[in-house]
Amino acid sequence: MCIGFRELANQILYRGLVKLQAQGLKTPVIAKMLDVSHDTVKDVLYKNAYPSFPKALKMIVNGRMVESLQEIAELINCAVVELPEIDPTDPLKIRQVAQTMRAFSDFMEAHARAIEDGRITAEEQRELKEKGWKVVQGILQVILYTEVK
């Protein structure tokens, strides 16, 4: 069965809202965070009444549901990277660049270990993904710092 983008976004939105609730957030707080009415959040959670695709995506973005956005992105062979915050008054420290280089080295070592036997296990894939995104975030931090200056 093929489902449309709206249904998919709504399923992902629902899971994201449930995760927010599991963190102890009440529906009024979630609604404020997502910049929607309290009734909209209650409709999604309790009545299976979902918003339009654009509104569902906006709610996911406003809620900073990075994992949920990544689910959507992976379906179209894309990635979501949460950009690190940059303080333009704080100069980029050499230590940050060194940490990024070390993270890249760790990623490459993990990759070499993973492909030694000719197949990558689920655990190795999870480790590579985690280490890879850490490298990407570090590189973006360096890039963004140079643009802020």
Side-chain angles (χ1 to χ4, degrees), residues 10-143:
N10 287 326
Q11 287 175 9
I12 292 169
L13 173 63
Y14 177 79
R15 286 196 303 264
L17 291 175
V18 169
K19 285 179 185 178
L20 290 173
Q21 276 190 317
Q23 294 172 7
L25 298 175
K26 302 293 183 200
T27 55
V29 175
I30 294 171
K32 185 171 183 165
M33 188 171 79
L34 301 181
D35 194 27
V36 295
S37 73
H38 182 227
D39 289 334
T40 300
V41 174
K42 288 189 334 188
D43 287 348
V44 172
L45 286 171
Y46 308 119
K47 298 180 183 173
N48 290 329
Y50 294 101
S52 66
F53 179 69
K55 188 169 184 175
L57 282 180
K58 183 179 179 196
M59 290 171 70
I60 291 169
V61 170
N62 287 347
R64 300 185 60 78
M65 299 177 201
V66 176
E67 290 177 8
S68 298
L69 287 171
Q70 185 61 38
E71 284 183 60
I72 295 171
E74 286 176 358
L75 293 170
I76 53 174
N77 202 26
C78 294
V80 174
V81 178
E82 190 170 12
L83 297 177
E85 290 191 26
I86 301 296
D87 180 359
T89 63
D90 185 26
L92 183 66
K93 295 174 180 61
I94 296 300
R95 185 172 51 238
Q96 288 173 293
V97 175
Q99 286 173 345
T100 299
M101 292 172 67
R102 193 170 20 259
F104 180 71
S105 175
D106 290 347
F107 170 75
M108 293 306 293
E109 287 176 16
H111 185 269
R113 282 192 311 273
I115 62 172
E116 272 180 352
D117 61 359
R119 72 181 198 74
I120 299 176
T121 65
E123 178 61 28
E124 290 169 333
Q125 187 176 24
R126 186 201 56 75
E127 180 187 11
L128 287 173
K129 191 174 186 179
E130 182 180 304
K131 288 180 182 287
W133 286 123
K134 185 176 180 181
V135 172
V136 169
Q137 287 176 329
I139 291 169
L140 285 171
Q141 188 171 14
V142 173
I143 291 169

